[in-house]
Amino acid sequence: MAAERLATIKRALAGYWRAPGGATRNGPHVRDALHLKRILLVMVVALVPCALFAMWNTGYQMHLAMQAHGINELFTWREAVFRLLDVGNDPAYLGDNLLLGALYFVPVLLVCWASAFFWEALFAAVRGMEMSEGWGVSGLLLALILPPAVPLWQAALGMSFGIVLGKEIFGGTGRNFMNPALAAYAFVFFAYPANFSADNAFVPVDGISAATPLALAAEGGMAALESSITWSQAFFGFIAGSPAETSVLACLLGAAILLFTGVASWRTMSAVLLGALGLSTLLYVVGSADNPMFSVPPHWHLVLGSLAFGLVFMATDPVSSAMTDAGKWFYGLLVGAMIILVRVVNPAFAEGTMLAIVFGNVLAPVIDRFVLKAQMRRRRLRYGQG
């Protein structure tokens, strides 16, 4: 019995570098170039630009802060690695920045992967089912959106919550109504809020304060924002923030890969964009004497926070988003509007992208149900059935 359960894990590991031998060749089934493993592989490839930029920008922002404050060493175990490799702390050097960013990102990624793999393997072995490769994408997504200095045990705990209570408890891959990485992020966000609200949460250098652009806008509106960064800096991602969420350009490269391969829905992406642009334009026109976030124009909202990353990689999750074509429009418009509503109107949260997508995931099945009922009603009226 134990050997049979371990065979599930063995087949899953072997399947990463060779095609499974049990592929169906005959019979009544749909032939399609896309299958689960290929979809997950495309997701990983699409995330590569964001991951590389995340490592570089984390190191760049830290080295920039160290240079500005006259700090010459890191005062952590990472300084020993720098000395061992005889590498300096100069923001002008690509290698220095990549190394420092990797020393923060890679440990978090390995912990997220180990935690996700453990729970996926355990549930697959107990149930006697084939193991899904989704743990790799979930672990990568979570590592990319957590603050770089998040304690590793919190990352492991969050990933465990996301895999077990966000997916496996509902039956595993394809049966979950919520993105596991988003469930994990929500757990860490609410259980350990200090990780996200500390002055140096996203530029982890002791003794310095580096507010994110959204925090600056919430405090002083456009005057504070434009005195600190330009729109093009925010578009390219040369700003402080969650590792993979700062560069809109990297997200656009990922979006091009997902759309070209047919993995993500252009309807969902377009609807999120329209929802965010529509509500941000309305709030900008209405204005507010008390809330500085009302003064942020729509084109600035698109390059701030995690809107671009959430739009491309999270809202388009084919399992947890709406399935029907019309439902994707309603779902996307809801998510886009919720993102702006949370970040502008709710002073408790400077960013609302991930929370808005979680809200959209919860309502996606209801949206699909109403869309299908409306289609069936129209069909009955058209053909006079039942």
Side-chain angles (χ1 to χ4, degrees), residues 155-220:
L157 201 57
M159 194 74 262
S160 300
F161 181 90
I163 295 294
V164 175
L165 295 180
K167 184 167 79 170
E168 295 299 338
I169 199 171
F170 298 104
T173 301
R175 298 183 177 89
N176 52 299
F177 72 92
M178 188 184 299
N179 186 313
L182 274 180
Y185 177 87
F187 174 83
V188 178
F189 183 86
F190 286 110
Y192 310 103
N195 291 327
F196 300 83
S197 59
D199 289 340
N200 61 348
F202 299 103
V203 184
V205 179
D206 288 341
I208 66 107
S209 175
T212 63
L214 271 179
L216 287 173
E219 287 291 328

Side-chain angles (χ1 to χ4, degrees), residues 10 25 35 56 65 68 102 104 134 138 159 202 211 220 228 244 270 280 305 326 337-338 343 348 379:
K10 183 180 176 182
R25 300 186 183 280
H35 50 72
W56 176 84
Y104 277 91
S138 298
M159 194 74 262
F202 299 103
S228 177
S270 303
S280 60
M338 282 289 296
R343 73 163 53 165
R379 182 170 298 179

